[in-house]
């Protein structure tokens, strides 16, 4: 859908209109209130789009309805009134000029505003609205020489006001004329002193010219006096090429340590996919109320970005500073999501440093107990979790108790106690839950029930997809061995799970390659990146991949094994072997859906496409 | 009894033959690589054709047939390469090939034999990654080998080792594309300038303009002696300006310390140039243009022209195979793209030049070709067909996302056409 023409002008107009109407409204109300107090009324009213008695209202109404000619006539009437001797109503001058600019831009008669503006400037040579309209109109009409003259005229009239430089340089930057903007801002620096009120424009100029370090410095300087530029700075610097980011970091991290540049840097680091660095930028700012608020906001952003370890650290810092329940809950939950169950337990059970109104014991229990139970479950302490739940019973109503069922069931499963897990399901909402019933059936080896229930599950977790995939590959109604294998996974015993899946490959016939593939994924997940940046190939995973490739050539897992093993070899630094695997996949499995990925990986390995985040000088 | 044994034997042999034939992949005599919309990866298709030539195979370019298809021998290496690269390749039986040849004979089509893989040189700084030049991007993606050459190689006469040379955005007038206006303090610009000054000193030349003019003249000699030249972006315009200004100073004081000669236009020797004549040299060091050759003048805000589209012209495949090869494509109308030199004003193009593509109704052309001495040259305006608004610092084009780019096909047409067996032109 095409944007309406002059949408930016309309936006500028509406904002200006709103601001001025607020002022007018407050001005208009004062005499009205005074008149009410004295029992008299006043004739002055605030014009609105619906007000058809005031020419400004008529103009706004006509513009709203798209009757542009009528609107133009009305705006001219407003202007004439505002410029009448003795009137001197600067706000209505501004409103009417902006209205004429919008209306004539829509009708393609933008140059019609110029003679009007010229007459206004004769009476009001420093009127910033008139000057701005004149410059904008001349630039958009391509009359660059006249625009330059208009700028010079404004400069002479404005004295030491930086507004002409700001407006003209912005227009030049928007027109892609960075070099011309550079000249204007250099003049401003010479005449008005370096940086200062124009540091924002200077920063944008540096961005346009690709001078990232200078841009960071100028934005940092501008934030002190114009903090609202933080979003603009973030948007501009976010696009900096990777090689230049260290210099931006140096600029924004330098002394003195103040909140605004550090917050800007933390936003940039998050955008660049570096949450740990983002927190490091904020963490060292002196802890006061503003900083704590910034930390809170950052913590929420880290959660949104699923950067759980960082989120944990942030909320712990907030908790140490503020000590409130909300921070405690966030910190404990983030620790749990980060896989740090010990820390989650410690945080969830920490005694409150600050008790606020509304933080009753019951409320604290209902807020923190689910996390505590989940953490105990992760640690394999299901008995302690049950005991904790029983001890907290007086503080829990029906609904709260029912909400604890899921973490408790997970805790029992984590401990390997299927019977207690089933018992925990009884009488809770989970009794009717397809996913819970399906998993319990699967752990018991009842594949028929598991197939029926799991396929109706709402969540789309990876383990569920694996389970459904396996269940679809075999028709046997029961397999205690498969149940035990998945139970081992639930207990986080990946070695036992992998061994059981491999052992089942011989007995479950059609599902053999799928079982081996699942086992290989488990084994491959254990490999960790070394100090040299490479990830050593998990030997067991490679054995399984090779077995699938050799023994189950026609299975869908064979191309998957080729791709996975190729990537593992690539990450371990064995590029020739990786190339061989990718080529085998491309040549032997021309119909595989994995071909585009394999081809892309092969092209990257061969240097046939630019690497990620590459940019030219 | 004997009869039943014989029939049993015959059945067994037939069964074995059937099993063997189904197990061993069968090869037709040829494979056809279509270049119409049925092709999954047009750019890598050139790589497969190039591989055929490199390994001494026979190849044919079927001009105007299915978008300029390639006919290659059906051998395992080529099939494998096509499979690896995702290039559509169809085995074609003798009967189908005969039908195709009949169609080619009766229409504006022709079959051109491709003889051997040309030896390719790209003029660029040696350690530069290949992502800043559309031609090196294309060759790298398609898997076509090339060698980088730089000023020292050209000055030593090493161009004679190659059949085909590419130039991109080098400014052969020695004015660094007037990038000093915006980037004089940028580390990369300073490094580039210092490198060129050192190279000039190494060859006993007073400054960079003198060095680049000498290089330009060497390149002119390469074409004159039978070489193929393909230039894009600013190299098109600056090469001819450098060649024409052999005895006149057209470089600004920022590059050689002296202003350009006030009567430069009158003293340019256009008879020496490849493509252009009678152009006006831009004397101002503050205007980011070299001359009025470029129609779009992208870096001069007051003169900048908007982008449109350009159309490839038709040629007689049988009578003008060279021009036909150069415009082979699955699209006729291609979106335009900016460069330091985006297009070529018709008013300054020599009358002997063949215009291969132009924007309808515009006073400029986009893609031109001509002969020079024993060799030939092609100029294509613009920097990168898939990056129309390219700016310094923009991320490089990833051709795996543009495997069917019609603009990049024009580049690769130029890479392959020197391999064509020369037939005498009938007009």
């Amino acid at each position: 859908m095409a944007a309406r023409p002059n949408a930016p002008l309309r936006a500028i107009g509406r904002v200006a209109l709103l601001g001025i109407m607020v002022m007018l409204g407050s001005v208009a109300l004062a005499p009205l209130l005074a008149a009410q107090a004295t029992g008299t009324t006043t004739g002055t009213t605030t014009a609105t789009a619906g007000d058809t008695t005031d020419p400004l209202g008529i103009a706004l109404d006509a513009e709203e309805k798209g009757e542009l000619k009528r609107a133009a006539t009305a705006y001219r009437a407003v202007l004439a009134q505002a410029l009448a001797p003795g009137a001197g109503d600067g706000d209505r001058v501004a409103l009417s000029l902006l209205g004429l600019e919008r209306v004539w831009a829509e009708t393609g008669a933008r140059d019609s505003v110029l003679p009007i503006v010229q007459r206004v400037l004769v009476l009001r040579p420093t009127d910033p609205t008139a000057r701005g309209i004149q410059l904008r109109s001349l630039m958009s009409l391509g009359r660059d020489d006249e625009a330059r003259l208009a700028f010079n005229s404004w400069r002479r009239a404005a004295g030491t006001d930086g507004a002409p430089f700001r407006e003209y340089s912005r227009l030049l930057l928007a027109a892609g004329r960075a070099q011309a903007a550079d000249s204007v801002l250099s003049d401003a620096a010479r005449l008005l002193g370096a940086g200062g009120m124009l540091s924002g424009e200077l920063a944008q100029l540096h961005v346009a010219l690709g001078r990232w370090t200078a841009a960071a410095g100028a934005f940092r300087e501008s934030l002190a006096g114009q903090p609202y530029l933080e979003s603009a700075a973030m948007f501009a610097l976010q696009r900096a090429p990777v090689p230049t980011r260290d210099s931006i970091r140096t600029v924004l991290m330098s002394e003195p340590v103040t909140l605004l540049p550090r917050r800007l840097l933390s936003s940039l680091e998050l955008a660049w996919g570096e949450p740990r660095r983002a927190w490091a930028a904020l963490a060292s700012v002196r802890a006061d109320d503003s900083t704590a608020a910034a930390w809170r906001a950052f913590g929420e952003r880290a959660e949104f970005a699923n950067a759980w370890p960082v989120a944990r650290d942030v909320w712990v810092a907030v908790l140490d500073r503020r000590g409130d329940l909300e921070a405690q809950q966030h910190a404990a939950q983030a620790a749990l999501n980060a896989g740090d169950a010990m820390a989650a337990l410690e945080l969830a059970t920490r005694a409150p440093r600050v008790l606020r109104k509304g933080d009753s014991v019951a409320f604290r229990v209902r807020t923190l107990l689910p996390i505590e139970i989940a953490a105990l479950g992760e640690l394999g302490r299901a008995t302690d979790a049950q005991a904790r739940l029983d001890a907290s019973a007086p503080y829990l109503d029906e609904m709260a108790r029912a909400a604890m069922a899921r973490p408790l069931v997970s805790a029992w499963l984590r401990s390997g106690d299927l019977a207690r897990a089933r018992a925990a399901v009884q009488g809770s909402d989970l009794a009717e839950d397809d996913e819970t019933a399906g998993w319990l059936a699967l752990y018991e080896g009842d594949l028929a029930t598991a197939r029926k229930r799991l396929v109706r599950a709402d969540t789309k977790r990876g383990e569920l997809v694996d389970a459904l995939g396996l269940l679809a590959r075999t028709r046997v109604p029961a397999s205690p061995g498969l149940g035990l294998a998945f139970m081992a996974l639930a207990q986080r015993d990946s070695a036992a799970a992998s061994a059981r899946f491999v052992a089942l490959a011989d007995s479950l016939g059609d599902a053999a390659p799928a079982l081996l593939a699942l086992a290989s994924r488990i084994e491959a997940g254990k490999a960790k990146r070394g100090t040299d940046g490479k990830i050593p190939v998990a030997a067991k995973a490679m054995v399984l991949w090779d077995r699938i490739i050799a023994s189950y050539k026609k299975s869908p897992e064979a191309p998957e094994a080729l791709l996975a093993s190729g990537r593992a070899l690539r990450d371990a630094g064995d590029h020739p072997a990786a190339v061989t695997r990718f080529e085998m996949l491309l040549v032997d499995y021309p119909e595989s859906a994995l071909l585009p990925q394999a081809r892309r990986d092969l092209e990257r390995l061969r240097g046939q496409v630019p690497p990620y985040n590459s940019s030219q000088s | 009894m004997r009869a039943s044994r014989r029939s049993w034997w015959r059945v067994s042999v037939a069964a074995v033959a059937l099993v063997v034939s189904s197990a061993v992949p069968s090869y037709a005599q040829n494979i056809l690589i279509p270049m119409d919309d049925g092709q999954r990866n047009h750019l890598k298709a050139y790589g497969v054709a190039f591989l055929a030539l490199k390994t001494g195979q026979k190849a044919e370019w079927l001009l105007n047939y299915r978008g300029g298809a390639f006919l290659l021998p059906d051998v395992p290496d080529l099939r494998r390469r096509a499979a690896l690269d995702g290039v559509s390749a169809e085995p074609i039986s003798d009967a189908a090939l005969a039908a195709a040849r009949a169609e080619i004979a009766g229409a504006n089509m022709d079959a051109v034999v491709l003889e051997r893989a040309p030896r390719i040189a790209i003029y660029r700084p040696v350690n530069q990654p290949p992502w800043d030049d559309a031609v090196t991007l294309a060759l790298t993606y398609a898997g076509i080998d090339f060698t980088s050459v730089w000023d020292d190689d050209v000055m030593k006469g090493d161009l004679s080792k190659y059949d085909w040379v590419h130039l991109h955005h080098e400014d052969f007038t020695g004015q660094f594309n007037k990038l000093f206006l915006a980037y004089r303090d940028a580390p990369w610009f300073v490094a580039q300038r210092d490198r060129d000054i050192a190279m000039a000193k190494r060859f006993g030349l007073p400054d960079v303009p003198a060095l680049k003019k000498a290089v330009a003249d060497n390149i002119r000699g390469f074409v004159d002696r039978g070489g193929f030249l393909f230039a894009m972006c600013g190299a098109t315009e600056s090469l001819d300006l450098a060649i024409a200004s052999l005895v006149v100073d057209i470089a600004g004081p920022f590059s050689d310390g002296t202003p350009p000669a006030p009567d430069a236009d009158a003293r340019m020797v256009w008879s020496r140039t490849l493509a252009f004549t009678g152009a006006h040299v831009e004397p101002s060091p503050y205007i980011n243009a070299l001359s009025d050759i470029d129609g779009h003048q992208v870096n001069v805000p007051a003169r900048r022209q908007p982008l449109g589209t350009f159309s490839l012209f038709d040629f007689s495949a049988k009578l003008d195979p060279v021009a036909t090869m150069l415009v082979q494509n699955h699209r006729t109308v291609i979106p335009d793209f900016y460069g330091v030199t985006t297009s070529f004003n018709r008013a300054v193009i020599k009358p002997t030049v063949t215009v291969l593509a132009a924007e309808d109704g515009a006073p400029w052309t986009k893609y031109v070709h001509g002969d020079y001495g024993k060799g030939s040259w092609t100029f294509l305006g613009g920097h990168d067909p898939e990056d129309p608004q390219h700016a310094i610092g923009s991320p490089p084009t990833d051709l795996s996302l543009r495997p069917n780019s019609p603009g990049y096909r024009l580049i690769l047409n130029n890479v392959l056409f020197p391999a064509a067996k020369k037939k005498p032109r009938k007009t």
Side-chain angles (χ1 to χ4, degrees):
Chain A
M1 188 165 98
R4 287 188 65 192
N6 306 308
L9 280 178
R10 294 180 69 81
I12 293 169
R14 286 206 174 99
V15 168
L17 178 63
L18 185 63
I20 290 171
M21 284 175 65
V22 166
M23 283 193 305
L24 282 177
S26 59
V27 167
L29 272 175
L32 184 61
L33 288 172
Q36 281 182 339
T38 58
T40 60
T41 57
T42 175
T44 306
T45 56
T46 305
T48 63
D51 185 339
T52 54
T53 56
D54 178 65
L56 184 59
I58 294 170
L60 291 166
D61 182 57
E63 187 182 354
E64 197 70 28
K65 289 178 178 159
E67 295 164 15
L68 300 178
K69 275 194 182 152
R70 192 164 73 89
T73 308
Y75 278 128
R76 292 188 71 163
V78 172
L79 184 62
Q81 267 182 15
L83 289 174
D89 190 339
D91 296 326
R92 288 172 86 89
V93 169
L95 282 172
S96 54
L97 281 176
L98 288 168
L100 283 170
E101 184 189 23
R102 288 193 305 274
V103 160
W104 276 329
E106 292 247 17
T107 56
R110 192 186 279 273
D111 53 350
S112 302
V113 79
L114 289 170
I116 308 278
V117 159
Q118 198 54 46
R119 281 200 287 279
V120 170
L121 288 175
V122 166
L123 298 170
R124 302 163 62 86
T126 57
D127 187 301
T129 307
R131 289 285 185 184
I133 291 173
Q134 186 184 46
L135 260 186
R136 278 198 297 277
S137 302
L138 288 168
M139 291 282 293
S140 63
L141 289 166
R143 287 152 68 166
D144 297 331
D145 291 340
E146 290 174 62
R148 179 106 196 148
L149 290 172
F151 160 68
N152 286 332
S153 166
W154 189 4
R155 261 178 60 177
R156 283 191 294 272
T160 55
D161 186 356
F165 296 94
R166 176 182 295 120
E167 188 67 27
Y168 192 37
S169 64
R170 278 186 197 160
L171 289 169
L172 289 169
L173 280 170
R177 293 171 56 187
Q179 295 147 18
D182 188 12
S183 305
V184 169
L185 289 170
S186 301
D187 279 347
R190 194 169 41 84
L191 294 168
L192 306 175
M197 58 159 47
L198 293 173
S199 47
E201 283 73 23
L202 258 175
Q204 294 288 11
L205 171 69
H206 287 311
V207 168
L209 294 175
R211 296 185 207 147
W212 299 102
T213 312
F219 272 126
R220 181 180 173 139
E221 192 183 328
S222 69
L223 285 175
Q226 303 165 82
Y228 53 83
L229 286 178
E230 189 176 342
S231 297
M234 156 71 186
F235 181 74
L237 293 175
Q238 186 181 317
R239 292 174 282 146
V242 172
T244 61
R245 290 177 187 173
D246 277 342
S247 59
I248 295 174
R249 288 178 181 117
T250 304
V251 168
L252 295 176
M253 287 284 282
S254 60
E255 299 283 335
V257 177
T258 52
L259 177 60
L260 287 175
R262 290 300 184 97
R263 193 167 63 192
L264 169 61
L265 179 59
S266 104
S267 300
L268 287 170
E269 296 285 12
L270 262 187
W272 292 336
E274 301 270 8
R276 179 58 62 187
R277 281 180 132 150
W279 172 231
L282 268 184
S284 49
V285 181
R286 188 174 63 87
D288 56 21
D289 287 346
S290 302
T291 308
W295 288 355
R296 254 181 215 278
F298 179 75
E300 284 166 4
R301 292 178 66 195
E303 286 171 350
F304 189 70
N306 289 326
W308 295 112
V310 172
R312 173 200 59 205
D313 294 346
V314 176
W315 285 111
V316 165
V318 175
L319 178 63
D320 289 344
R321 167 90 190 142
R322 304 289 297 178
D324 58 279
L325 180 60
E326 186 200 0
Q328 187 174 6
Q329 181 194 19
H330 277 276
Q333 187 65 57
L336 191 64
N337 292 344
D340 189 354
M342 280 297 304
L345 186 62
E346 188 275 322
L347 287 163
T349 52
R350 200 186 274 195
R353 194 160 60 83
V354 173
L355 263 178
R356 285 163 211 267
K357 194 175 162 193
D359 282 1
S360 64
V361 173
F363 184 66
R364 281 188 62 81
V365 166
R366 283 196 296 273
T367 304
L368 296 171
L369 188 62
I371 304 173
E372 191 181 339
I373 290 182
L376 285 166
E378 283 296 314
L379 293 167
R381 292 163 56 182
T383 311
D384 291 343
Q386 182 73 63
R388 192 73 190 92
L389 182 60
D390 294 339
S392 306
Y395 302 108
L396 302 173
D397 56 21
E398 272 303 316
M399 226 166 57
R401 257 199 299 280
M404 306 289 172
R406 195 180 290 278
L408 189 62
V409 169
S410 297
W412 285 120
L413 289 173
R414 178 86 166 84
S415 300
D417 193 332
L418 196 48
R420 298 287 283 271
R422 257 206 194 281
V425 167
Q426 300 303 322
S428 75
D429 290 348
L430 295 178
E432 300 302 318
D433 181 53
D434 283 314
E435 186 172 357
T436 306
W439 279 113
L440 290 175
L442 179 60
Y443 294 143
E444 286 167 352
D446 179 2
L447 303 194
T449 306
R451 268 188 211 100
K452 256 189 265 178
R453 303 302 294 267
L454 283 178
V455 80
R456 295 200 286 256
D458 287 330
T459 63
K460 297 288 178 283
R461 294 179 297 130
E463 305 90 59
L464 180 62
V465 173
D466 286 337
L468 285 170
L470 269 174
L471 289 171
R473 294 291 287 278
T474 176
R475 300 258 56 90
V476 301
S479 170
L482 193 61
L484 286 171
F486 274 102
M487 193 71 207
L489 267 183
Q491 291 175 264
R492 307 284 194 276
D493 188 351
S494 59
S498 166
R500 286 184 187 277
F501 284 127
V502 173
L504 281 166
D506 294 325
S507 58
L508 276 183
D510 291 346
L515 287 162
L516 292 174
L518 179 52
S520 67
R521 282 198 291 277
I522 294 169
E523 293 295 340
K526 294 179 187 170
K528 294 203 185 318
R529 192 177 295 276
T531 51
D532 60 354
K534 294 181 183 167
I535 304 176
V537 179
K540 284 185 183 169
M542 191 56 81
V543 164
L544 292 168
W545 285 321
D546 287 344
R547 183 173 160 186
I548 295 171
I549 293 163
S551 308
Y552 303 99
K553 277 196 177 66
K554 292 191 190 304
S555 70
E557 283 75 19
E560 180 193 331
L562 280 168
L563 183 64
S565 57
R567 285 176 169 170
L569 289 163
R570 175 200 63 194
D571 293 342
D574 189 351
H575 290 183
V579 165
T580 303
R581 298 266 167 157
F582 292 139
E583 287 185 350
M584 205 185 303
L585 170 52
L586 288 168
V587 172
D588 295 344
Y589 298 93
E591 304 299 323
S592 171
L594 298 176
L595 244 54
Q597 295 181 57
R599 189 165 288 123
R600 183 110 182 113
D601 286 345
L602 187 60
E603 285 170 350
R604 280 240 161 82
L605 268 182
R606 286 185 171 151
Q608 287 180 323
V609 292
Y612 246 150
N613 289 327
S614 66
S615 67
Q616 307 151 142
S617 59
Chain B
M1 193 68 157
R2 256 193 211 158
S4 67
R5 260 203 211 147
R6 273 204 294 273
S7 62
W8 178 87
W9 178 247
R10 279 191 199 114
V11 167
S12 303
V13 167
V16 168
L18 187 64
V19 166
V20 168
S21 66
S22 64
V24 172
S26 58
Y27 293 94
Q29 294 260 19
N30 297 284
I31 48 173
L32 183 76
I33 299 194
M35 294 296 274
D36 50 18
D37 284 324
Q39 176 54 249
R40 282 174 301 172
N41 193 324
H42 289 89
L43 305 187
K44 288 207 171 189
Y46 286 89
V48 178
F50 194 89
L51 177 66
L53 301 176
K54 196 171 147 189
T55 52
Q57 318 271 2
K58 201 169 77 78
E60 286 182 64
W61 200 347
L62 306 179
L63 303 183
N64 292 345
Y65 178 77
R66 293 194 65 183
F70 298 110
L71 185 69
L72 306 178
D74 188 1
V75 295
D77 279 355
L78 297 181
R79 275 219 193 195
R80 182 179 166 79
R81 175 67 176 261
L84 286 175
D85 286 353
V87 171
S88 308
E90 305 165 359
I92 182 169
S93 65
D94 289 346
L97 182 56
R101 290 202 190 280
E103 185 184 342
I104 288 168
N108 180 19
M109 301 176 183
D110 201 10
V112 174
V113 174
L114 299 175
E115 284 185 306
R116 68 175 180 85
R119 294 164 299 171
I120 298 171
I122 309 284
Y123 172 84
R124 66 192 193 108
V126 175
N127 295 325
Q128 190 173 300
W131 315 126
D132 195 33
D133 177 329
V135 174
T136 53
L137 266 174
L139 296 179
T140 304
Y141 180 66
I144 295 175
D145 300 326
F146 64 89
T147 308
S148 298
V149 296
W150 191 230
D151 290 339
D152 45 353
D153 302 298
V154 176
M155 295 296 280
K156 285 186 296 187
D158 283 355
L159 286 185
S160 57
K161 297 177 188 169
Y162 305 97
D163 304 307
W164 190 95
V165 169
H166 167 64
L167 317 171
H168 210 82
H169 40 228
E170 189 63 28
D171 179 359
F172 289 98
T173 67
Q175 300 179 87
F176 310 104
N177 285 312
K178 297 189 180 177
L179 290 175
F180 80 98
L181 289 166
Y183 297 100
R184 55 183 167 270
D185 299 322
W188 60 266
F189 181 82
V190 171
Q192 185 182 312
R193 185 198 63 206
D194 291 348
R195 175 200 67 202
D196 289 349
I197 290 172
M199 184 71 75
K201 281 197 178 122
R202 191 173 140 195
F203 286 96
L205 293 164
D207 46 48
V208 174
L211 168 70
K212 293 298 181 183
K213 279 188 190 178
V215 169
D217 210 55
N218 269 285
I219 293 170
R220 184 195 65 82
F222 160 78
V223 181
D224 194 29
R225 290 186 297 272
F228 294 92
L229 177 70
F230 177 61
M232 285 183 69
C233 200
T236 54
E237 181 180 1
S238 71
L239 180 73
D240 261 11
L241 289 173
I243 290 169
S245 65
L246 196 64
V247 293
V248 60
D249 180 3
I250 62 167
F254 55 88
S255 56
D256 64 1
T258 58
D263 57 345
D265 283 355
R267 293 168 59 193
M268 298 285 273
V269 184
W270 295 107
S271 58
R272 307 181 79 244
T273 59
L274 275 56
F276 306 116
T277 183
H280 162 66
V281 176
E282 176 54 62
S284 170
Y286 303 111
I287 293 180
N288 197 340
L290 296 181
S291 73
D292 64 351
I293 290 173
D294 179 22
H296 282 73
Q297 303 275 315
V298 64
N299 289 323
V300 186
R303 303 178 196 168
R304 183 178 177 137
Q305 300 297 317
L307 288 177
T309 59
F310 59 94
S311 304
L312 299 173
F313 296 145
D314 279 327
F315 296 90
S316 167
K318 293 179 172 66
L319 300 181
D320 202 350
V322 170
T324 307
M325 274 187 271
L326 294 177
V327 298
Q328 289 302 286
N329 217 302
H330 52 294
R331 295 283 178 270
T332 309
V333 180
I334 300 173
D336 207 346
F337 47 98
Y338 280 129
V340 173
T341 302
T342 304
S343 55
F344 318 116
N345 271 315
R346 288 181 189 274
V348 298
I349 292 181
K350 288 185 171 179
T352 53
V353 167
T354 304
V355 177
L356 302 172
E359 183 176 338
D360 284 348
W364 48 72
T365 62
K366 183 69 179 178
Y367 185 34
V368 293
H369 170 79
D371 294 327
Y372 189 89
K374 294 182 184 167
S376 69
W377 55 270
T378 311
F379 287 173
L380 174 62
H383 176 77
D384 182 334
E386 295 298 336
D387 187 4
Q389 307 276 352
H390 179 79
I392 290 174
S394 296
T397 299
D398 185 341
L399 285 179
S400 67
L401 303 176
R402 309 264 186 267
N404 310 109
S405 166
Y408 269 88
R409 274 199 68 181
L410 298 181
I411 295 173
L412 290 163
N413 287 342
N414 280 273
V415 174
L416 217 48
F417 114 82
K421 188 172 181 180
K422 291 186 181 32
K423 282 198 300 194
R425 195 165 154 188
K426 290 177 186 169
T427 54

